[in-house]
Amino acid sequence: MQLKNDLLIRAAKGEAVERTPVWLMRQAGRILPEYRAVRESVSGFIELAQTPELAAEVTIQPVDILGVDAAIIFSDILVIPEAMGLPYEMVEKRGPWFPNVVSSAADLKKLRVADGVDDLSYVIDAIKITKRELDGRVPLIGFAGAPWTIFAYMIEGSGSKTFSKARAMLYTQPELSHQLLQMITDSTINYLKAQIAAGVDLIQLFDSWAGILPPDHYETYSLNYIAQICDAINEVPKTVFAKGAFFAREQMGKLNCETIGLDWNMGVAESRKMIGDDKTLQGNLDPAALYGSAKEVEEATRQMMAQFKGGRHIANLGHGVYPDISPEKVKVFIETVKNYQSQ
C-alpha cells in the first residue's frame, strides 16, 4: 500500500523531507481521554493489548487526535517473555510482575524460543487491522524490547531501581545469561519478522534499562544482541533507543540500523559527533518540558529543533510522554515541529 505521508520513512533513510516528521513514544495511552474510555471497557492493560480490534483502535487514536506522522502498535515489550513461557501480570500503579522468574538452568529448560506468529497472534492480528484502518495515512511502527531489558525483567520479576538480581546474574552465571539472552534474541527476531510480514513499515528496539549497566557489560550483554537483531532485519528501517546508554553512542553509530534514539540527557551536538552523519537521530525533548505553558512548550521545542538543524532528524521526546501531561500541550509540541523553519 502506498503511504500518503511517508515523511518518517524518508527521514529514517536520510532522504530529503519537506519538514521534520514527529511522533511520541507512549503516544497511544493514558494522556488521551479517548484511550482511557477504551481501557475502562475491559479488565485492564493486558486484555486491551490482547484484543486486536481494541489495540488497533487505540493505536490509531493519536493519528486522529494529535496529528502525529506515525502510529505505533499498541502492545508491550513483555509479550516476548510470555510467548517464551514466562507469563506476567500488570499490577495497577506498580507495573509488570512475574509470578515466576529465571534463576537456574532448570528454569531455562522450561522456556522456548517464540515463533512470533502463532504465540503472538493477537499482536499480528492487531497490526493487520491497524494497517487496514489507517489506509496508508501514516506509517505503522512495530517494536520490541531489546534483549537485555527483557532479560532484566525475567530475572528480577518486576521493575526495579537497580535490577541488582539481573546484574548479579551477569557476574555469577555468565554462561546461563548468554543462553537466555540468545533465546530472547532469537524470539525477538522471529517476532519482528512476523510484525513486518503483517505490515509494519519500521521497527524500533527499546532498551529501557540500558543505562544501569557498566560500559563493558553493556557491550557484552546488550549491544552484541541488539547487533544480531539489526543484522537479521533488512526489510524495513530500524531504530535503536537505548535509554541512559550515553557511554555507548559511538558503538551505536556502528549498528546496522538507520536511526538512533536519544534520551533527553544526551547532548545533540555531542551525539551527532559520536554517532556520525550517516544515521538519523530521533528525539529528544525532555518530556517534563510539556508541563510548561503553551508558550514555554513552543519555545522549548524550537530550541530542540535548532540543535538538530542541518542533520537527519525525527522529532520525538527523550522518553515516553508522562500520563498526566495535557494532550493540548502535546499538540503544541507537534504543531511547533510541523511549523518549524530553521533560520
Side-chain angles (χ1 to χ4, degrees):
M1 183 185 293
Q2 190 70 33
L3 287 168
K4 299 177 182 76
N5 174 350
D6 65 349
L7 284 170
L8 182 78
I9 305 301
R10 282 188 281 144
K13 292 179 176 178
E15 297 171 3
V17 288
E18 304 83 71
R19 62 169 177 82
T20 303
V22 56
W23 69 281
L24 293 89
M25 291 178 279
R26 291 193 182 148
Q27 65 186 15
R30 294 169 290 177
I31 62 163
L32 297 177
E34 294 86 352
Y35 164 82
R36 290 196 293 271
V38 176
R39 168 81 178 260
E40 285 162 15
S41 72
V42 292
S43 62
F45 174 88
I46 291 178
E47 186 183 351
L48 175 53
Q50 292 182 353
T51 307
E53 294 80 9
L54 296 182
E57 182 180 345
V58 297
T59 295
I60 295 169
Q61 283 176 347
V63 179
D64 295 333
I65 298 163
L66 302 174
V68 286
D69 291 310
I72 180 166
I73 194 66
F74 183 82
S75 186
D76 193 86
I77 62 171
L78 297 179
V79 298
I80 279 287
E82 184 154 68
M84 292 174 66
L86 200 73
Y88 73 106
E89 300 169 9
M90 194 63 79
V91 181
E92 196 67 34
K93 296 186 179 175
R94 279 192 55 201
W97 181 70
F98 287 82
N100 299 300
V101 295
V102 177
S103 58
S104 67
D107 295 328
L108 201 65
K109 285 177 182 163
K110 298 173 189 171
L111 303 179
R112 62 183 177 275
V113 171
D115 69 14
V117 178
D118 296 330
D119 43 26
L120 286 163
S121 59
Y122 56 90
V123 181
I124 305 310
D125 289 344
I127 289 169
K128 291 175 180 175
I129 295 167
T130 303
K131 283 293 286 188
R132 187 177 69 237
E133 297 294 324
L134 279 173
D135 194 30
R137 281 189 290 157
V138 294
L140 178 61
I141 303 167
F143 72 90
W148 155 250
T149 287
I150 301 303
F151 174 99
Y153 282 108
M154 293 176 79
I155 305 299
E156 204 80 21
S158 65
S160 166
K161 289 183 178 177
T162 62
F163 280 96
S164 54
K165 290 177 188 171
R167 287 163 53 218
M169 178 80 82
L170 306 182
Y171 288 97
T172 60
Q173 300 187 71
E175 189 175 330
L176 183 71
S177 297
H178 280 299
Q179 287 175 333
L180 178 54
L181 283 162
Q182 191 62 57
M183 288 179 73
I184 296 167
T185 299
D186 294 343
S187 299
T188 302
I189 291 168
N190 291 343
Y191 178 43
L192 290 172
K193 294 265 188 191
Q195 289 188 42
I196 293 162
V200 300
D201 302 288
L202 181 143
I203 61 105
Q204 177 157 319
L205 279 176
F206 287 88
D207 206 358
S208 306
W209 299 110
I212 62 171
L213 289 177
D216 60 334
H217 269 190
Y218 189 67
E219 188 161 350
T220 302
Y221 294 104
S222 185
L223 268 184
N224 279 340
Y225 294 98
I226 289 173
Q228 277 189 46
I229 296 168
C230 288
D231 288 344
I233 305 285
N234 293 309
E235 300 91 334
V236 299
K238 297 151 287 194
T239 299
V240 174
F241 174 67
K243 187 176 183 298
F246 63 92
F247 49 80
R249 283 174 287 176
E250 195 170 324
Q251 294 101 304
M252 283 193 280
K254 297 170 186 169
L255 288 169
N256 177 17
C257 68
E258 286 72 20
T259 302
I260 300 294
L262 305 182
D263 69 35
W264 73 90
N265 290 314
M266 296 177 180
V268 175
E270 179 187 62
S271 298
R272 174 59 73 196
K273 187 175 180 182
M274 295 175 78
I275 293 167
D277 293 327
D278 61 346
K279 291 267 193 286
T280 299
L281 300 183
Q282 178 174 279
N284 73 333
L285 186 70
D286 180 357
L290 300 187
Y291 287 117
S293 68
K295 188 174 181 182
E296 288 165 342
V297 172
E298 182 179 350
E299 180 56 31
T301 304
R302 289 182 62 82
Q303 287 178 9
M304 177 202 74
M305 294 295 290
Q307 292 180 63
F308 283 99
K309 70 179 180 183
R312 295 166 56 172
H313 182 216
I314 295 166
N316 207 313
L317 303 180
H319 198 234
V321 62
Y322 300 141
D324 60 344
I325 283 173
S326 162
E328 295 308 311
K329 302 293 177 57
V330 174
K331 288 178 187 175
V332 172
F333 167 71
I334 291 164
E335 288 307 311
T336 304
V337 172
K338 287 183 173 182
N339 295 326
Y340 183 81
Q341 299 290 329
S342 58
Q343 305 302 316

